[in-house]
Amino acid sequence: MPVGTVYFVGAGPGDIGLITVKGLERLKQADVVLYDRLVNPELLAYTRPNCEKVYCGKLPKHHILRQEQINAELVAKAKEGKTVVRLKGGDPGVFGRVGEEAAELAKHGIPFEIVPGITSGIAAPLYAGIPVTHREYGHSFALVSAHGKATEPQVDWASLAKMDTIAFYMGVANLPLICDQLLAHGKRNDTPVILIRWGTMGRQQTLEGTLETIAKKAEEAAFSNPAITLVGDVVALRKTTNWFEKKRLFGQQILLASDGTETEFAQTLRAEGADVFEFPKWKLVKKEIAHYVFTNLSSYEQIVFVSSESVHFFFAALRSEKIDVRTIKAELYARTPSAKRALEERGFCVSDGQQKGKTLVVGEEAVENEEWCLTHEVKQEETSQLLWERMKEEADVRTVIFPTVASVHRLLAMSDKAWLKERTILCFDDETKEVARTYGVFARCIEKETLIDYLARER
């Protein structure tokens, strides 16, 4: 069996839009993904349906997989001939231990590739409105790990204090030491400092001070990691260049209940500055289409597609069976905008209004009293429960959105109803609202077109 290749991919600092094009391509090709705690779990939605996902999450004093286990897993999966992605937060080469893992692969003769990512030491300050270099304030810039094997940062403080701007990674616990050492080695006591927690995410938090005051402020605010500590006069630029925190939904953390179909609405919410968690996570499993569908294809007067995925699987089956699409005499309908786009991209005109006559419904779930073409099944991802627990531990979700009736059934089948009852529940139509109430969950109906304005007012 040929040996597989391991790709070390930088996932970026949190905002899923900050992964590189090449990194995303490698992620989509993976048979196995080993991912860290600070990787945005929403990125896993880009993997193939049967991709194996292994959580390697690390907390400061607790490891799901220890480093030697991660090394062994990379070697074992590659020797099985699989394409492996080691998905790391930020950039693999900036405090990502990629050197240790790559050396282990080299020892076993396993090919690998390193795909750089955007590191949080640069991205988090930018999302706080601060460039790390500036012609007037900062000509030099240093990245420093503020934790590791030793209890204190292992740095040359005298040399570091000469830098204009310094970004400390995970430095909150050692903040008093950092400030004392920089002051002792020549930094001014009024040097600006900012702490940026969950940088680039809608839950981003900041705390400003100086080398003299920031440690006490952080203690009083119970400020914690994951955070970047940025030191330097360039921090003062934030007063005029703070852009991200001015977005209409900044600070909103939203659970968008997923029914397994595509949604662009999550991207719309993220573009307004919100953190959006799409749960549960689903995978699509292809089903063999019943033969009678093909033999009766010309007899249908209407064909209704329930999702873009149903369009893809249906026409892929036609190609496989070598059936000419011109045998379709029916009018085509779409129950979702994504299904309509998928049909139009294939050159079909999509009808509006109520369909009549002999109808075939194409999708992933049979409905009583309708002739149904089952193209695929929607199954919950194995990692869904783990990601659900991470969301509850690390985020402060106050709003839950049910876009469809199916999303109500699927989320409430796996979630804690008591947790939901403490949140604001929103939906887009009366039918979805009534279904939620049958589960004992009170939902408020908001028109989709006005939802962002509503959330902005509630911020």
Side-chain angles (χ1 to χ4, degrees):
M1 177 185 296
V3 174
T5 301
V6 175
Y7 297 94
F8 296 97
V9 174
D15 181 339
I16 61 172
L18 295 181
I19 190 172
T20 65
V21 173
K22 188 172 186 178
L24 192 59
E25 288 174 351
R26 295 291 182 258
L27 187 60
K28 291 177 178 179
Q29 297 163 359
D31 298 312
V32 184
V33 175
L34 287 82
Y35 64 101
D36 286 340
R37 174 193 169 221
L38 293 182
V39 166
N40 189 328
E42 296 293 330
L43 285 171
L44 300 177
Y46 291 96
T47 59
R48 297 191 297 189
N50 296 321
C51 176
E52 180 185 357
K53 304 173 193 65
V54 181
Y55 182 48
C56 306
K58 298 177 182 179
L59 294 168
K61 296 183 180 179
H62 177 69
H63 299 267
I64 302 297
L65 288 182
R66 299 198 66 82
Q67 189 60 53
E68 57 270 21
Q69 294 174 300
I70 295 171
N71 294 351
E73 191 79 0
L74 291 172
V75 171
K77 296 299 182 184
K79 285 186 174 180
E80 292 173 9
K82 295 179 177 178
T83 297
V84 182
V85 165
R86 178 71 172 98
L87 194 60
K88 293 175 170 286
D91 179 276
V94 181
F95 312 124
R97 305 186 76 168
V98 70
E100 299 171 44
E101 294 175 11
E104 184 70 15
L105 296 177
K107 186 170 72 175
H108 291 269
I110 294 171
F112 60 88
E113 178 181 307
I114 302 175
V115 181
I118 298 173
T119 186
S120 58
I122 296 173
L126 282 173
Y127 270 57
I130 306 164
V132 295
T133 63
H134 191 278
R135 287 194 300 173
E136 294 181 23
Y137 299 102
H139 298 275
S140 58
F141 173 54
L143 304 177
V144 182
S145 175
H147 76 296
K149 290 184 178 180
T151 57
E152 297 181 0
Q154 300 299 291
V155 297
D156 180 344
W157 290 106
S159 298
L160 189 63
K162 296 176 183 177
M163 292 286 175
D164 294 324
T165 310
I166 312 165
F168 292 91
Y169 287 62
M170 301 294 187
V172 176
N174 284 320
L175 197 53
L177 171 72
I178 290 169
C179 294
D180 288 345
Q181 288 289 352
L182 291 177
L183 288 170
H185 288 86
K187 283 287 187 188
R188 305 185 325 271
N189 59 5
D190 64 346
T191 302
V193 181
I194 187 170
L195 308 183
I196 309 163
R197 186 170 189 259
W198 292 115
T200 78
M201 306 286 280
R203 75 193 89 158
Q204 176 175 297
Q205 298 173 333
T206 56
L207 182 66
E208 295 182 65
T210 66
L211 282 177
E212 188 174 47
T213 64
I214 193 66
K216 184 177 180 181
K217 283 187 173 184
E219 181 182 6
E220 291 173 347
F223 209 89
S224 61
N225 287 318
I228 290 292
T229 300
L230 194 73
V231 180
D233 290 335
V234 75
V235 172
L237 291 173
R238 171 175 160 83
K239 293 181 177 64
T240 55
T241 56
N242 183 12
W243 61 275
F244 181 54
E245 294 169 19
K246 294 179 180 178
K247 285 182 172 285
R248 287 200 292 168
L249 299 187
F250 175 76
Q252 295 264 7
Q253 298 176 60
I254 299 167
L255 172 61
L256 182 60
S258 171
D259 61 7
T261 60
E262 274 185 26
T263 174
E264 291 184 353
F265 193 57
Q267 294 300 331
T268 302
L269 295 171
R270 290 188 183 108
E272 295 288 351
D275 264 352
V276 183
F277 304 89
E278 294 182 84
F279 287 115
K281 292 295 183 184
W282 307 100
K283 60 182 176 182
L284 307 182
V285 181
K286 180 182 176 183
K287 303 291 289 186
E288 291 297 323
I289 295 177
H291 188 65
Y292 76 84
V293 172
F294 302 125
T295 57
N296 295 329
L297 195 58
S298 62
S299 69
Y300 295 108
E301 296 172 80
Q302 287 84 29
I303 300 177
V304 181
F305 294 88
V306 303
S307 66
S308 61
E309 294 84 1
S310 66
V311 174
H312 168 75
F313 284 115
F314 183 79
F315 285 100
L318 292 187
R319 287 195 301 273
S320 178
E321 295 288 330
K322 295 182 170 55
I323 295 174
D324 192 331
V325 295
R326 289 173 293 184
T327 61
I328 299 176
K329 308 300 182 184
E331 291 187 76
L332 304 186
Y333 292 81
R335 286 190 178 169
T336 64
S338 63
K340 183 178 181 180
R341 279 194 306 276
L343 287 169
E344 290 174 341
E345 287 171 358
R346 287 169 170 79
F348 293 104
C349 292
V350 182
S351 300
D352 296 318
Q354 182 67 37
Q355 63 267 17
K356 296 179 181 178
K358 187 177 181 181
T359 302
L360 176 69
V361 181
V362 181
E364 64 270 9
E365 187 176 345
V367 175
E368 191 176 354
N369 300 325
E370 291 185 326
E371 189 166 344
W372 199 268
C373 170
L374 189 66
T375 55
H376 61 286
E377 285 184 293
V378 181
K379 293 188 175 181
Q380 188 174 316
E381 284 273 15
E382 293 83 355
T383 56
S384 197
Q385 189 62 38
L386 173 61
L387 301 180
W388 170 261
E389 295 301 329
R390 278 191 57 199
M391 180 198 72
K392 291 201 295 182
E393 290 172 6
E394 298 175 353
D396 183 24
V397 172
R398 308 309 307 169
T399 304
V400 179
I401 300 172
F402 288 118
T404 63
V405 167
S407 69
V408 177
H409 293 307
R410 288 178 172 163
L411 178 63
L412 287 169
M414 67 159 288
S415 65
D416 179 356
K417 296 181 184 63
W419 181 87
L420 280 172
K421 288 179 180 179
E422 296 175 358
R423 271 77 195 164
T424 298
I425 311 297
L426 304 176
C427 59
F428 298 144
D429 58 68
D430 289 331
E431 182 185 7
T432 304
K433 179 176 72 173
E434 292 306 317
V435 170
R437 284 183 175 179
T438 64
Y439 285 92
V441 175
F442 176 80
R444 183 178 304 170
C445 198
I446 301 289
E447 291 184 10
K448 187 175 182 180
E449 292 74 18
T450 64
L451 178 65
I452 290 176
D453 289 336
Y454 170 82
L455 293 173
R457 290 195 302 269
E458 296 295 309
R459 177 179 165 182

